[in-house]
Amino acid sequence: MSYAPENPAQLVVDGVERSLDIAATWVAWDGLPIHDEETGDETGDQWTPLKALRRIGDHLVDHLHEVEALLAGATPMPDEWHGRFVTLEADWQPLTRVDLDEAGSRLRRLARTYLLRYAAAGPAEWDAPRGEAWTLREIAEHVSHVSGYAEYVGRLK
């Protein structure tokens, strides 16, 4: 199966690679919370490297589920994530090279799953209207900005 360069899911792959490029610097994290400059919230919207990687994965899973449900003619499950406003205890752990390698493998596989799924669905499905839902192209464009989670932490070296 070939992947036409116009496959909108390539945007997801590119977003994951941007995220991992930024994350490559996170083993230098000092353990202090990083605050979202946009909201200025120093309590609920704290960031750590592991939180950013978790949110990237959650976002990819959430919208991949949406894509699959739409292609199956089903209603996607409602979004019940606690989202970026919750920092879990596990998010405070230091990020090691092995953690980063594991996250990279996981996130790249998820991104490739988008690419494969969109290729299998075919170009006719990418822009097909889906009622109130986004088209598959719009979902891919949205998910391509997943690197925003990495940008909350930023480059640390």
Side-chain angles (χ1 to χ4, degrees), residues 71-151:
L71 287 171
T75 302
M77 291 176 64
D79 180 352
E80 295 180 357
W81 299 103
H82 292 285
R84 66 187 229 173
F85 297 105
V86 172
T87 305
L88 304 175
E89 187 66 31
D91 293 334
W92 292 102
Q93 299 304 309
L95 180 74
T96 67
R97 282 272 168 227
V98 174
D99 293 327
L100 189 56
D101 289 346
E102 291 294 303
S105 292
R106 184 178 315 107
L107 297 176
R108 285 186 177 107
R109 279 176 172 75
L110 278 168
R112 184 163 187 256
T113 302
Y114 275 86
L115 198 62
L116 295 169
R117 188 61 183 113
Y118 275 58
E125 294 292 332
W126 299 343
D127 297 302
R130 306 205 181 266
E132 296 294 314
W134 287 342
T135 66
L136 299 187
R137 184 179 305 276
E138 290 170 325
I139 293 169
E141 289 169 353
H142 169 74
V143 176
S144 74
H145 298 289
V146 73
S147 58
Y149 292 117
E151 291 164 3

Side-chain angles (χ1 to χ4, degrees), residues 25-71:
T25 68
W26 293 349
V27 293
W29 181 51
D30 62 8
L32 298 175
I34 299 160
H35 301 289
D36 180 359
E37 298 296 325
E38 287 181 24
T39 65
D41 182 355
E42 294 192 3
T43 56
D45 206 3
Q46 297 178 336
W47 288 90
T48 71
L50 286 174
K51 177 180 179 176
L53 290 170
R54 175 176 58 81
R55 290 301 304 139
I56 291 166
D58 290 352
H59 202 73
L60 290 168
V61 167
D62 183 38
H63 288 290
L64 184 59
H65 163 76
E66 179 182 18
V67 166
E68 290 296 338
L70 292 171
L71 287 171

